[in-house]
Amino acid sequence: MRRFPLRATWWLPALLLGCAQPAPQREGHVTLQRQAAPGQALPGPAQPAPDALRDDRGCLLPAPVVPKAPPPPHHLSGQLGLWVAEIDPVTLRPVRAVATNPDSVFPLASTYKQAVLWALLREVDAGRMQPGERFTVTRQNQSLGSYPFDGSDVRALSERMIHNSDNTATDILHRRAGLGAVQDVADRLGLCRTRLILPTKAWWVAQSGLSATFNGSGRWTGARGEEQRRIAALIDRDAQKYRADYVQRKLNDYFDHRRDDALDAQVYNLSTPYEFGTLVAQEFLRPDLSEASRRWQREVMATGFGKSALTITHQGRVRYVGAKGGNGWQLLTYSGYVETTDGRHLVYVFMQRGADQSYTMPNTRRAFAWINAALKVVLDAPARTTALGAPAR
């Protein structure tokens, strides 16, 4: 197909989003105040449920009270969130953890793409998607940035989605798996403040003012369940009307002249460090996939960025790392799952928004200095006889 010339813009691979203010803290520990996502209302007061980690609506309760993460070894500006934990592989509960603002809502950026991989592998296992299916890049499905060759199959697209953070590959797979199927990754886990439903081009079209559905609906930000799926499908239908280069020009104008944090917050995929850490733990330790799909998942996720940035990798203490990061205008995110050579299971989620820098990739070294400092605290902590489980009050 014809390649449309796009202005070189550093944030093309990134997925941008606004977030809530960080939760206030008390000395020595994180004060875990439950916050709504921007433009969203939380359910009513939570009541204990049979599952001690979820309320009576099935929503994951706030993170347990854990020691505060050590301060970043190097300056990181803006609003920061961190969740680093060792996970019990049987109960999937954290047994040791440190955190900073684990229940504040942040943008996910490209970190969300691992949920698309998980959802599409469920579809493969269910027989609703064939690994050998091949796809053509069209005016309708092309998103911003580079894109795959025509005829790429599901496996090739999944590799580009994680290793290259390719937005078109992501959108093709997201739509093929189903918008609802990707959101279901969060909904099945009770991650009520996690939104995964819109493909990349859909939120960029909404952000740039091109979606009549988004512009004309006041119900989108509070929508859940079937209503959320219905509106998301209409926004995505709007997105497929426009060529990528036209969307690019409209976004350039938006970022140059009229960027609005409140508008950003209404559109993009988002989560909290604790909720997304819960997703990562489930994704690797209990994905409910066939052996072939689980092997596919682990092989592809091993190509995401993270392993080489971990201190314990260079100490020879790592058996496996699956990771994904993302960046955008004043934001940066990293997440990962780690298996150590002595059989421990770790997750980390780093989130930054409102950074002093518009281009945040140079903050990567600082972000991993903080992640590594937190991992050291968790790995060096004394053993516990029971898993953490008491929710914050």
Side-chain angles (χ1 to χ4, degrees):
M1 72 165 275
R2 178 186 175 190
R3 293 179 179 267
F4 301 111
L6 298 178
R7 190 174 84 179
T9 308
W10 63 265
W11 46 264
L12 283 179
L15 310 180
L16 317 176
L17 183 67
C19 68
Q21 296 291 326
Q25 301 170 11
R26 58 184 171 87
E27 189 65 28
H29 286 73
V30 180
T31 301
L32 306 172
Q33 293 189 349
R34 195 168 194 193
Q35 298 187 12
Q40 296 179 339
L42 287 172
Q47 301 295 327
D51 181 345
L53 298 181
R54 287 169 175 77
D55 63 27
D56 60 352
R57 294 165 310 283
C59 292
L60 186 72
L61 291 171
V65 175
V66 300
K68 185 178 178 181
H74 304 289
H75 176 66
L76 284 167
S77 58
Q79 300 159 7
L80 303 173
L82 186 71
W83 174 256
V84 176
E86 179 181 354
I87 304 298
D88 183 315
V90 176
T91 66
L92 271 60
R93 295 191 181 190
V95 294
R96 302 170 182 83
V98 295
T100 294
N101 299 322
D103 287 317
S104 293
V105 178
F106 287 85
L108 278 173
S110 291
T111 304
Y112 111 97
K113 294 175 180 178
Q114 62 196 286
V116 177
L117 176 62
W118 192 0
L120 76 88
L121 290 175
R122 286 177 175 169
E123 294 299 298
V124 168
D125 281 352
R128 292 186 290 267
M129 181 185 295
Q130 299 302 315
E133 287 185 49
R134 296 182 179 274
F135 300 86
T136 298
V137 178
T138 66
R139 167 180 170 170
Q140 288 72 33
N141 66 25
Q142 184 190 350
S143 187
L144 304 188
S146 61
Y147 52 89
F149 292 109
D150 287 346
S152 295
D153 63 16
V154 175
R155 176 63 186 250
L157 292 177
S158 72
E159 292 169 351
R160 285 191 62 92
M161 175 173 65
I162 300 301
H163 180 68
N164 303 95
S165 212
D166 188 302
N167 295 314
T168 298
T170 302
D171 285 5
I172 289 172
L173 295 177
H174 193 151
R175 294 187 181 106
R176 180 62 184 86
L179 273 58
V182 177
Q183 181 61 41
D184 193 50
V185 169
D187 292 351
R188 288 174 56 172
L189 300 176
L191 308 183
C192 295
R193 287 171 290 170
T194 297
R195 184 165 64 214
L196 306 171
I197 196 167
L198 285 181
T200 67
K201 190 178 181 182
W203 63 61
W204 275 317
V205 162
Q207 183 183 34
S208 58
L210 295 173
S211 170
T213 301
F214 180 78
N215 295 340
S217 174
R219 301 180 63 84
W220 163 246
T221 54
R224 296 293 183 274
E226 289 306 313
E227 182 180 38
Q228 182 188 55
R229 287 156 170 73
R230 179 183 62 80
I231 299 175
L234 292 173
I235 294 173
D236 188 48
R237 186 181 304 170
D238 291 342
Q240 294 180 62
K241 298 175 183 177
Y242 300 99
R243 290 185 356 181
D245 58 337
Y246 181 71
V247 177
Q248 171 70 78
R249 291 197 299 272
K250 289 295 186 179
L251 275 176
N252 289 340
D253 177 71
Y254 172 79
F255 280 104
D256 288 344
H257 303 295
R258 52 190 178 85
R259 180 174 177 268
D260 181 355
D261 282 339
L263 176 62
D264 293 353
Q266 295 173 22
V267 193
Y268 295 106
N269 291 339
L270 72 165
S271 190
T272 72
Y274 176 58
E275 284 202 353
F276 208 73
T278 300
L279 184 151
V280 171
Q282 292 270 349
E283 172 188 359
F284 286 95
L285 290 169
R286 196 176 296 161
D288 295 325
L289 296 173
S290 68
E291 185 58 36
S293 289
R294 190 167 188 177
R295 185 167 55 251
W296 178 345
Q297 178 190 51
R298 287 173 65 89
E299 289 172 355
V300 171
M301 287 301 300
T303 70
F305 179 79
K307 182 177 181 179
S308 63
L310 298 177
T311 299
I312 55 176
T313 297
H314 302 286
Q315 295 171 342
R317 301 171 63 186
V318 164
R319 179 179 296 129
Y320 173 84
V321 177
K324 187 71 187 83
N327 75 291
W329 185 278
Q330 296 184 300
L331 66 89
L332 187 67
T333 60
Y334 286 106
S335 72
Y337 163 78
V338 182
E339 293 174 6
T340 65
T341 53
D342 60 353
R344 299 170 77 172
H345 304 264
L346 308 165
V347 297
Y348 63 83
V349 178
F350 163 86
M351 295 180 174
Q352 178 187 31
R353 67 93 58 184
D356 293 342
Q357 305 83 8
S358 296
Y359 179 53
T360 56
M361 286 303 292
N363 289 344
T364 293
R365 183 168 296 182
R366 297 173 179 175
F368 273 93
W370 195 22
I371 292 167
N372 284 320
L375 283 169
K376 185 178 188 305
V377 171
V378 170
L379 288 168
D380 291 349
R384 299 177 61 95
T385 57
T386 59
L388 298 173
R393 296 292 186 242

